[in-house]
Amino acid sequence: GPDTGVTRVDFYLDDPGALGAPIHGERLAPYDFVNTLPDGMAASYDSAQLADGVHTISARVTLAAGGEELLVATFSVATVALPLLDDFADGSADGWVIRDDSGSPSSWNAAGGVLEQRNLVGAIGPALDGGYHRGTYAYLAAGAGLSDYRFTVRITSLSAEGHDAGVMFRYRDNDNYYRLLSNARRGLTLLEKKVGGRYQTLAKNARALLPGRTVTVTVHAIGDRLLVYLDGEPLFSAVDTDLPWGTVALYARDHALFDDVAVEADPGDP
């Protein structure tokens, strides 16, 4: 593995030549930029303290066989100004990135004032991960650095068979996010998380999103508190520390409509 033969790694921020003092050093694997959490995951770095623009992370790697290597990577910081709003009235899905996770192609299109996903994206094989579902989703690229927020969206499931529709939040990548999904076929709604590629159910109940009915889903992500409301009524409350930041996404396994997306600074419980 990449940790073999390494005795120490020193990390530098905005010091591509590693000429100054390191901001952090580690002698044991895994070697993480900030530090390593008790569960083995890397601790997150709060980029809000950095100015907008391009920054560098440098790692001076000390090898057990002698000598050193210097690794340098760049990243960009862009301040996100809330609210982020999209009612798709312009017929555009600009800013949304589509990801198909089921092995079947999706069909997303912004028209008629909604964002629509039309295809059934698999029910077996690659569309399942143990007992958990894979589908298709559109994530909002501009929200990548967000942490605390209120996320609201109107959802209409048009799946004749009652397949999943829902949302994702604090989405970092395909292996790390929270997800709320409703499945009329199974008669339940689930609050799940996926961390390091592994799913876990945080909460569930028997209130399912019925095909043809439009509902408003509201998610409050405030520190380690996750609050979910359906049409203004409390649905779930959970406490979890694994994913402190990330953007929002719209999720489906079949025909569904999404409208009136709003990501706002959270004013507190409604």
Side-chain angles (χ1 to χ4, degrees):
D3 298 331
T4 303
V6 175
T7 61
R8 181 182 177 91
V9 179
D10 291 307
F11 294 95
Y12 303 78
L13 179 64
D14 290 334
D15 182 3
L19 301 176
I23 67 166
H24 180 64
E26 297 206 342
R27 295 180 179 273
L28 298 174
Y31 303 100
D32 294 317
F33 177 60
V34 180
N35 55 51
T36 306
L37 299 175
D39 63 1
M41 298 291 290
S44 60
Y45 178 80
D46 183 8
S47 63
Q49 57 191 300
L50 300 178
D52 286 2
V54 177
H55 297 268
T56 62
I57 294 176
S58 304
R60 185 183 297 280
V61 181
T62 303
L63 304 175
E68 296 179 337
E69 292 184 2
L70 182 63
L71 308 176
V72 181
T74 62
F75 65 99
S76 297
V77 172
T79 301
V80 179
L82 296 179
L84 298 174
L85 308 173
D86 201 340
D87 62 6
F88 306 106
D90 60 357
S92 171
D94 287 352
W96 296 90
V97 180
I98 308 303
R99 175 69 187 261
D100 293 338
D101 189 36
S102 70
S104 300
S106 63
S107 176
W108 291 87
N109 184 50
V114 298
L115 182 61
E116 180 178 21
Q117 199 294 118
R118 297 190 61 90
N119 286 1
L120 174 62
V121 290
I124 59 174
L128 297 175
D129 185 347
Y132 294 91
H133 289 179
R134 292 172 173 165
T136 180
Y137 57 87
Y139 69 87
L140 187 60
L146 294 175
S147 54
D148 292 358
Y149 50 80
R150 178 178 64 186
F151 171 31
T152 305
V153 61
R154 297 174 68 234
I155 304 175
T156 307
S157 171
L158 297 178
S159 172
E161 298 182 5
H163 287 295
D164 299 355
V167 299
M168 297 152 68
F169 56 100
R170 287 188 174 166
Y171 169 90
R172 299 186 191 177
D173 54 39
N174 196 48
D175 288 326
N176 297 278
Y177 54 78
Y178 294 108
R179 181 172 70 179
L180 176 78
L181 68 85
S182 185
N183 185 295
R185 189 176 190 176
R186 299 164 65 191
L188 52 77
T189 298
L190 300 168
L191 178 62
E192 304 170 338
K193 70 175 179 180
K194 188 179 185 184
V195 177
R198 296 183 179 183
Y199 286 103
Q200 181 181 338
T201 299
L202 298 177
K204 64 180 179 179
N205 69 24
R207 293 179 63 184
L209 174 58
L210 300 178
R213 179 190 171 197
T214 299
V215 299
T216 299
V217 171
T218 304
V219 174
H220 295 250
I222 315 165
D224 61 0
R225 298 175 62 216
L226 310 175
L227 308 174
V228 180
Y229 295 80
L230 186 64
D231 286 334
E233 297 295 323
L235 183 64
F236 293 128
S237 176
V239 175
D240 192 82
T241 60
D242 280 334
L243 301 168
W245 54 268
T247 190
V248 302
L250 310 173
Y251 162 80
R253 293 187 88 213
D254 201 356
H255 198 181
L257 309 177
F258 302 89
D259 194 13
D260 295 333
V261 174
V263 185
E264 304 167 284
D266 200 296
D269 298 356

